[in-house]
Amino acid sequence: MSAGATASDSIRPEDNAAGEHNPWLIAFVVALAAFMEVLDTTIANVALRYISGGLAVGPDEASWVVTSYLVANAITLTASSFLAKRYGRKVFFMWSVGLFTVSSILCGFSWNLQSLLFFRVLQGLGGGGMAPLAQSILADSFPSGKRGQAFAVYGIAIVFAPAVGPTLGGWLSDNWSWHWCFLINGPIGVIALALMFWLLQDPKSAVEERKRLRREGVRFDIIGFLLVALFLGALEVCLDQGQRDDWFGSTQIIVFATISAVSFAAMIPWLLTHKNPAVDLSLFGNLQFSACFIIMLLTGAILIATTQFMPQIVQDNYGYTATLAGLVLAPGGIVTVVVTMINGGVLATRVQPKWLIVMGAATMMAGCYDLTRLYGDSTFWFFGWARIYMSIGIPLMFLSVTTASYNGLKAGQTNQASALINVARNVGGSLGVSLAQNMLAYRGQFHQSRLAESVTPTSPAYQDTLSQATRYFSEHGYAGPDAQNQAIAWIGSQLASQVTYWAYIDVFWILCLVSGAAIPFGLMLRKVKLGGATAAA
């Protein structure tokens, strides 16, 4: 250490997660693993149409591929901090990446929806431990003066992955097959594992902490963890399957709803009274943290729901290929990267998080509102600009929520807080997709019944339209009854198309309101000290 350096400017090799290696190699490995994990939250979105056709399931069932991953990911997040302390951060990180890689390959070889969902859950369980561990590894690899730069590299990987994911997934699906959306993780995961084995080490303090936990016999709160898993898992089954099974008219839905409710009722007292709980519920006694948790929940719902529904509508109603559907999101992805760098480098050090959150929620709201104006001739850039508006707001929300959530917490609560904010993002995304999918089906049925009321054989407007359509088909080679049959079919297709547009408009109205709901929670936040580096969410 040079004469002008201070103790905080360097890290002793035994306390450094990089050991004697260049810490920027660690930053690369960590960013690579994080990129791979976040990529899988969006890469399959534009491939759902191919998955639906390849596995012979409906679009609503195919959406489980997204929600099952997010829920499993969130469940593991609650346990990642303790498991890393108890069994070693390097071992747990490598186990997480290994499980993620193997299950990704198995997803690519899935033979039906059930097998795909099972492997997708395993993939989510593996990926859930990667984000919080990546942040702590970076913190232990760089001196305080360079942590901001390290987290910036990590943050760019986090925001670039969902930006490139839809386009990459669309290209792979169009030119190869949807299976490659998962198989692509194989070689990346193997490279990441090899680099981790070579480069990573557990700091001396982490080794001593692990020995202390073993010596004192501190065990993982398996009961609390299972209650959390049952609550979230059963709730997601209800939301995903409820519309198809007529909600509480189905015995299966009643059973899963009961499991979810009982698990939640048992989970609260257990976690509040257990000595070493899987989830520290005392964090929610902090109004600042509770507001941040809800804001991240709402932000995750908007991010994941729109990332799925925008490619879905342009493929189903505008004839876009999967690649072109992914490119619809690409301009917004570029904007996200730019705004993230501006936010982290300038805004976050000068503007209070509460005002950045309000600005972000307002621009997300504007993007969702813009989508309520869609119609049959909407162009590529109609969707592209709506996504750009949302992409200005999303990074303002993510980094600001992370910064604000740590305010007022004790030093020992930061790891759990980081995990719970990530849980909020994933659970919010899963709930957003499920609720939007249910809303789409419900409003589709509503508009179908209302529009069908005006399409009756006795309606003068219907008779006039039928007459003109029949004349058109007669002039184009159809004779007699065939022309009329074609005209009736055409009217039916126009009705179905109009129903779909109105249903999507209703969904985007709901998402617009969800975005706006974050504004009052943002205004509740306290002022925080600006200028400190924080981990990315």
Side-chain angles (χ1 to χ4, degrees):
M1 187 166 60
S2 64
T6 65
S8 61
D9 293 326
S10 63
I11 304 175
R12 294 181 303 173
E14 63 269 24
D15 292 327
N16 194 326
E20 299 289 347
H21 301 289
N22 189 323
W24 288 107
L25 289 175
I26 296 294
F28 170 76
V29 174
V30 164
L32 182 65
F35 176 86
M36 182 173 62
E37 188 268 327
V38 178
L39 183 74
D40 266 63
T41 63
T42 60
I43 193 171
N45 290 58
V46 295
L48 292 181
R49 193 177 182 186
Y50 283 96
I51 293 173
S52 175
L55 300 180
V57 296
D60 54 342
E61 291 177 287
S63 69
W64 299 350
V65 174
V66 175
T67 57
S68 60
Y69 174 83
L70 291 171
V71 170
N73 195 287
I75 290 170
T76 303
L77 277 166
T78 62
S80 60
S81 178
F82 178 84
L83 293 177
K85 290 179 181 178
R86 183 66 175 79
Y87 300 104
R89 193 165 57 188
K90 177 177 179 178
V91 170
F92 183 61
F93 199 19
M94 291 187 64
W95 179 90
S96 297
V97 174
L99 177 61
F100 182 90
T101 303
V102 171
S103 55
S104 295
I105 296 172
L106 292 173
C107 283
F109 288 106
S110 299
W111 53 92
N112 57 28
L113 180 64
Q114 290 74 23
S115 62
L116 176 57
L117 293 180
F118 176 74
F119 297 137
R120 190 73 164 146
V121 168
L122 292 181
Q123 188 185 35
L125 293 174
M130 292 160 64
L133 287 181
Q135 294 174 18
S136 62
I137 288 171
L138 281 178
D140 286 342
S141 299
F142 288 84
S144 59
K146 294 185 178 180
R147 282 176 190 164
Q149 299 173 22
F151 280 127
V153 171
Y154 173 77
I156 290 174
I158 290 292
V159 298
F160 185 66
V164 74
T167 304
L168 178 60
W171 185 85
L172 289 171
S173 299
D174 282 337
N175 295 280
W176 295 75
S177 75
W178 64 264
H179 303 82
W180 281 98
C181 293
F182 303 107
L183 293 175
I184 193 174
N185 289 328
I188 298 176
V190 170
I191 292 172
L193 276 173
L195 291 174
M196 287 173 196
F197 181 78
W198 173 45
L199 297 172
L200 282 181
Q201 73 173 25
D202 285 338
K204 183 179 179 180
S205 59
V207 174
E208 291 175 352
E209 173 72 1
R210 184 165 70 249
K211 290 179 179 178
R212 183 188 67 79
L213 291 174
R214 289 178 179 175
R215 185 170 60 251
E216 296 177 1
V218 178
R219 297 184 179 276
F220 178 57
D221 178 19
I222 187 66
I223 295 178
F225 176 74
L226 290 176
L227 288 173
V228 172
L230 283 173
F231 163 61
L232 292 176
L235 176 63
E236 193 57 44
V237 170
C238 291
L239 293 173
D240 283 344
Q241 191 69 11
Q243 180 67 32
R244 293 176 56 83
D245 290 352
D246 193 27
W247 293 104
F248 292 102
S250 164
T251 302
Q252 181 186 26
I253 296 300
I254 292 174
V255 169
F256 277 99
T258 302
I259 292 173
S260 182
V262 170
S263 299
F264 181 77
M267 176 183 76
I268 301 301
W270 176 271
L271 295 176
L272 287 174
T273 58
H274 196 267
K275 184 178 179 181
N276 186 45
V279 177
D280 184 7
L281 292 185
S282 66
L283 285 168
F284 293 99
N286 184 315
L287 183 62
Q288 178 93 345
F289 180 81
S290 297
C292 288
F293 185 88
I294 294 173
I295 292 168
M296 186 59 83
L297 202 72
L298 298 173
T299 306
I302 299 299
L303 173 62
I304 304 299
T306 55
T307 303
Q308 175 169 326
F309 275 76
M310 289 180 69
Q312 182 174 303
I313 189 173
V314 297
Q315 287 182 85
D316 292 345
N317 294 82
Y318 294 86
Y320 284 28
T321 63
T323 303
L324 192 57
L327 286 172
V328 164
L329 304 179
I334 296 171
V335 169
T336 296
V337 174
V338 173
V339 174
T340 298
M341 291 189 290
I342 295 173
N343 189 20
V346 180
L347 295 179
T349 60
R350 300 181 181 181
V351 183
Q352 283 293 324
K354 65 183 299 179
W355 300 120
L356 293 176
I357 288 170
V358 170
M359 290 166 54
T363 52
M364 285 167 54
M365 193 175 181
C368 292
Y369 171 77
D370 202 36
L371 288 170
T372 65
R373 301 185 299 108
L374 72 86
Y375 59 101
D377 292 330
S378 295
T379 64
F380 175 94
W381 280 108
F382 169 83
F383 295 101
W385 275 109
R387 187 62 176 182
I388 286 172
Y389 299 149
M390 283 183 274
S391 298
I392 293 172
I394 287 170
L396 293 178
M397 302 282 283
F398 270 96
L399 185 59
S400 303
V401 168
T402 306
T403 301
S405 65
Y406 291 141
N407 183 258
L409 298 183
K410 300 174 183 177
Q413 293 179 312
T414 54
N415 286 339
Q416 183 74 198
S418 175
L420 285 175
I421 290 297
N422 281 278
V423 167
R425 179 195 63 195
N426 287 359
V427 171
S430 179
L431 294 177
V433 169
S434 297
L435 293 175
Q437 196 74 51
N438 282 308
M439 178 60 68
L440 183 68
Y442 170 73
R443 297 302 291 178
Q445 294 170 1
F446 171 80
H447 291 301
Q448 175 74 31
S449 62
R450 293 302 301 270
L451 290 179
E453 293 173 359
S454 61
V455 185
T456 61
T458 58
S459 168
Y462 175 78
Q463 289 293 336
D464 182 58
T465 303
L466 180 63
S467 176
Q468 293 184 43
T470 301
R471 190 181 310 116
Y472 172 85
F473 284 108
S474 295
E475 294 171 354
H476 287 77
Y478 294 91
D482 288 339
Q484 188 175 52
N485 290 336
Q486 287 294 324
I488 293 172
W490 177 81
I491 292 173
S493 68
Q494 293 301 303
L495 175 66
S497 179
Q498 191 65 35
V499 164
T500 301
Y501 288 130
W502 278 109
Y504 272 108
I505 287 171
D506 289 345
V507 168
F508 291 128
W509 268 118
I510 294 298
L511 295 178
C512 182
L513 295 176
V514 170
S515 300
I519 293 176
F521 288 102
L523 293 173
M524 291 169 54
L525 300 178
R526 299 187 300 267
K527 289 184 177 180
V528 304
K529 182 180 179 181
L530 300 178
T534 63

